[in-house]
Amino acid sequence: MSEEKLYAVKNDDGKYFDCEYAKFLPLSESYCPVMVSEDNAKAIIHDYGGHVVVLTEEPKKVVLSKTDALRQGWLVARYGRYNPDAVSNILAKYKDEAWGMIDAYVNGYTVAKEKKYLVFKELGGKQKNQQVAQAYRSFTFPNTITWSIEERKNMSTLSSGRLTESEIEQYGLQDCEKEEVTDDGIR
């Protein structure tokens, strides 16, 4: 977060001082409501009234795993937002990872996207270096893998062919080669 701050002057009616027109206007109509000097904001208050408003950057949200996101959801459901009891509960329960969890509880969080991979095996014999067997989740037989023989350069990036690390482990494909892909299927 930057140490630089921006200031505005706001009156009791909820209008902001416009430096261009030297009067209070609704924020949507104000041309220049922000200044970089706190001293200038205080001088405006002295002459026109109102109070100084400090504009700060929103803190970055913490990126959490799905498991930690579930923990956060439980904490918010149990304690609500910004409850001191939740902070002490986090410190007691998560010890080593407590500060990251507290930061996520206070500033918000996003859930990390799992990396996805195309999983394949190189073929031997006449197809060596030309074709590969690519793994897919089967639509017909749930919780199974099907294989498709394809040229390596034409490997499909269909969603059924994109597997997470946990799926690779679940299906016993750790000994296969893998290639990371993005959510839009680009390798």
Side-chain angles (χ1 to χ4, degrees), residues 6 15 19 25 52-53 58 86 98 104 106 167 179 182-184:
L6 295 174
K15 295 181 179 179
C19 298
L25 297 170
V52 175
V53 177
E58 185 176 26
V106 173
E167 289 173 322
E179 186 176 313
T182 60
D183 284 338
D184 57 3

Side-chain angles (χ1 to χ4, degrees), residues 26 34 36 55 65 70 93 155 167 180 184:
V34 178
V36 294
L55 307 175
S65 68
L70 289 171
K93 197 168 189 175
M155 282 183 15
E167 289 173 322
E180 188 175 342
D184 57 3

Side-chain angles (χ1 to χ4, degrees), residues 98-179:
W99 293 111
M101 295 290 284
I102 290 170
D103 192 19
Y105 177 75
V106 173
N107 296 324
Y109 62 92
T110 59
V111 179
K113 290 189 176 192
E114 288 187 89
K115 291 182 180 180
K116 299 213 176 178
Y117 302 91
L118 300 179
V119 177
F120 59 95
K121 287 188 176 187
E122 292 284 343
L123 298 178
K126 293 180 183 178
Q127 293 95 0
K128 188 171 184 165
N129 298 324
Q130 294 175 9
Q131 293 187 323
V132 294
Q134 184 178 355
Y136 292 90
R137 282 185 304 281
S138 174
F139 293 117
T140 311
F141 303 104
N143 298 320
T144 60
I145 290 292
T146 59
W147 294 89
S148 175
I149 308 294
E150 305 179 31
E151 287 186 34
R152 184 181 177 99
K153 64 181 179 185
N154 295 334
M155 282 183 15
S156 173
T157 58
L158 293 172
S159 62
S160 61
R162 291 185 244 153
L163 305 172
T164 63
E165 284 284 355
S166 59
E167 289 173 322
I168 291 170
E169 192 172 312
Q170 173 189 343
Y171 296 124
L173 303 172
Q174 298 91 325
D175 62 333
C176 298
E177 295 182 45
K178 60 185 183 181
E179 186 176 313

Side-chain angles (χ1 to χ4, degrees), residues 66-85:
K66 284 185 180 181
T67 303
D68 286 343
L70 289 171
R71 290 176 183 164
Q72 284 293 324
W74 175 83
L75 288 166
V76 172
R78 180 168 182 186
Y79 295 105
R81 274 271 177 230
Y82 313 113
N83 185 326
D85 292 337

Side-chain angles (χ1 to χ4, degrees), residues 57-68:
E57 293 181 31
E58 185 176 26
K60 288 186 178 180
K61 292 185 177 184
V62 177
V63 178
L64 295 179
S65 68
K66 284 185 180 181
T67 303
D68 286 343

